[in-house]
Amino acid sequence: MKTEILGTDGASLDRAAELLTRGAVVAVPTETVYGLAANAFDEKAVRRIFEAKGRPADNPLIVHIADISYLEKLSPCVPELAYKCAEAFWAGPLTMILPKKDIIPSVTSGGLDTVGIRMPVDKTARAIIKRCGFALAAPSANVSGSPSPTTFRHVYEDMNGRISAIVDGGDCSVGVESTVISFDDNKIRVLRPGFISPEELSEIADTVIDKGVLEQLGADAVVRSPGMKYKHYAPKADVTIIDSDRDSFKHYVRKNSDDATMLMVFSEADCEGLDIEFIEYGETAEEQAKRLFTSLRTLDELGAEKVYARCPKKSGVGLAVYNRLLRAAGFKVVRL
Ligand code: AMP
Ligand code: MG
């Protein structure tokens, strides 16, 4: 398949909408990561997303809308708390899990009777959804299992030849996928951390963090967010997180490194005096979120075999960075 490369001018957005209306799959930029979009109501179109990604059929897709009035078209009962969250955080990187109406085919929701709904703030994503006039199902635009794409180049590498078009909207501003929440009674449950932090959510209502966020769930555990059970975000290298201060990190690395080792650090100061190749992924949690997936892809490009990564903080946006890095490391953490 020839993949068209589109820009963000009006004619390009018209073309993207035209392709989507015909049931094609188009990669679209959003503020979180690039999405692999298709008409959420069109079963055949949605199947094409799963094929292009090689995504397991039980891993549900998030449905993207551009107008809050759409919530009621997609869900038969929207709790008051969902409206409060929408008011506080939409348009933005927050996905809410709600009961689904039959208008959403079961293939879109991975066979579940609920649906994840998000209203992105990204101008290009919104313009495309508005032009389409229907909601877009869109998982991250990477091949299943590899790090989510946050730049046009990432999408091109994974999807060229597999989908109808890619809209080049430059680099994503947030860099990690949306926060996914569900509602239990009057509580918010964080199923996947993202840019909207548990601290911010707790200003709206009592907020609990699901067990699956920080722990590897056993085979028979109830998985509330199916995406979290898959090996994900993983580079080819064997990654270990070193949860320690800078000095202990350096000491551990000095003792345990060989020729095949690379480091993933906040800044150069973390490896001063160590003669080991490194990449920096930023000093603040926001920067780390933005650079995490690019850094994981860079490790592959450099042929890294063994990687020691400095551990992000586990609060605010840092929790989202830690959650993704944990999966990239297959939950291997050395605590010093
Ligand atoms: P992606 O768009 O690739 O980031 O993946 C979307 C993720 O959102 C899935 O892997 C799930 O973890 C979560 N998700 C989407 N829909 C639902 C749902 N109905 N119930 C629970 N989690 C969901
Ligand atoms: Mg994904």
Side-chain angles (χ1 to χ4, degrees), residues 53 55 139-140 142 148 177 192 232-233:
K53 272 185 75 84
R55 183 173 176 106
S140 51
N142 52 297
S148 295
E177 306 87 343
R192 176 176 75 181
H232 215 145
Y233 318 111

Side-chain angles (χ1 to χ4, degrees), residues 199-220:
E199 292 86 343
E200 286 174 284
L201 290 164
S202 66
E203 285 176 26
I204 309 292
D206 281 351
T207 299
V208 294
I209 297 176
D210 193 72
K211 244 183 131 185
V213 166
L214 293 176
E215 285 173 37
Q216 191 164 26
L217 298 173
D220 50 355

